[in-house]
Amino acid sequence: MSSHYGNKSLLITEADLDLGEAVSVADLEIHLYDYVEMQFGESERPSLEVIGVCSQREDKSWCADHSDATPKWLHKELNWDQTLVRITAERLSLDEATASKICSDPESAGPVLKKMMFDDLRNENYGVLSRRADALSSLNSGTAPGFLGWNSFVKEEVDQAIDLRETRDPGDHGLLVEIAYHWR
């Protein structure tokens, strides 16, 4: 059965889930489903599916075995850093080396994006310019490079990377959750 769907990569922390215990990546699916519905409301149409999770603590990814949606960013063979770089590179139309630099030094993201945006404007590359401008604006409110803030989330067939972290404590272990909203 085919369906149209939009992928969302959600950046949260284990503390945001308030599990009170360390849970393995493979066991997080039900907790994440409940968390997403709590954040964005229950979803019958479009239907919600958790299709992958990457854990900073475990430094590995889990992807659903049976899914109608294909993960866009998360893959079993990628660790935490590789997944962050992949999302940042794709969302900001960057090469992997530049995305890696930005992920390891988020303070460098603003100047790099501003320079690239001037090139985008000169080259009339308005789609990329718009994504980079949105990401730059989100950086100013503390989101991770390449991610948008919570208020940018839409239940549409639009791929998005959203930073939902409630706190920015460096000691909190991160989770990247890839979900899909299906229109069947």
Side-chain angles (χ1 to χ4, degrees):
M1 175 181 187
S2 69
S3 66
H4 300 282
Y5 59 91
N7 290 46
K8 313 289 181 192
S9 179
L10 309 175
L11 175 59
I12 62 174
T13 66
E14 290 180 3
D16 295 333
L17 293 178
D18 195 27
L19 299 174
E21 61 193 58
V23 176
S24 73
V25 172
D27 294 333
L28 280 172
E29 181 179 12
I30 190 69
H31 299 288
L32 293 168
Y33 188 88
D34 292 344
Y35 175 81
V36 172
E37 283 200 333
M38 180 183 72
Q39 294 295 318
F40 304 114
E42 291 186 22
S43 190
E44 289 184 25
R45 182 155 175 86
S47 64
L48 167 66
E49 181 179 14
V50 176
I51 57 176
V53 182
C54 183
S55 167
Q56 184 178 21
R57 178 177 46 83
E58 292 188 38
D59 201 28
K60 67 179 183 179
S61 297
W62 164 89
C63 294
D65 291 329
H66 305 297
S67 174
D68 291 335
T70 303
K72 181 170 186 154
W73 300 288
L74 274 64
H75 292 279
K76 291 178 184 178
E77 65 275 0
L78 297 179
N79 66 25
W80 175 262
D81 290 335
Q82 293 167 325
T83 303
L84 271 180
V85 168
R86 181 184 184 121
I87 293 168
T88 302
E90 189 275 333
R91 296 312 305 154
L92 298 177
S93 300
L94 302 173
D95 60 77
E96 194 170 306
T98 304
S100 181
K101 178 180 186 261
I102 286 175
C103 287
S104 63
D105 178 19
E107 297 296 318
S108 69
V112 169
L113 288 174
K114 286 176 186 176
K115 181 190 176 309
M116 296 178 108
M117 289 167 59
F118 283 117
D119 294 339
D120 294 334
L121 187 58
R122 184 176 31 259
N123 297 329
E124 299 180 6
N125 194 354
Y126 302 122
V128 173
L129 175 65
S130 176
R131 275 205 321 265
R132 289 178 177 159
D134 289 344
L136 183 61
S137 176
S138 292
L139 273 175
N140 293 333
S141 61
T143 65
F147 287 77
L148 300 174
W150 187 93
N151 59 343
S152 297
F153 180 88
V154 292
K155 275 188 196 177
E156 295 177 5
E157 291 181 54
V158 176
D159 295 337
Q160 293 181 299
I162 306 290
D163 187 339
L164 294 177
R165 295 174 297 167
E166 294 175 20
T167 63
R168 305 288 196 260
D169 183 347
D172 288 343
H173 294 286
L175 294 170
L176 288 163
V177 182
E178 189 162 349
I179 63 172
Y181 279 103
H182 291 275
W183 284 260
R184 298 175 200 246

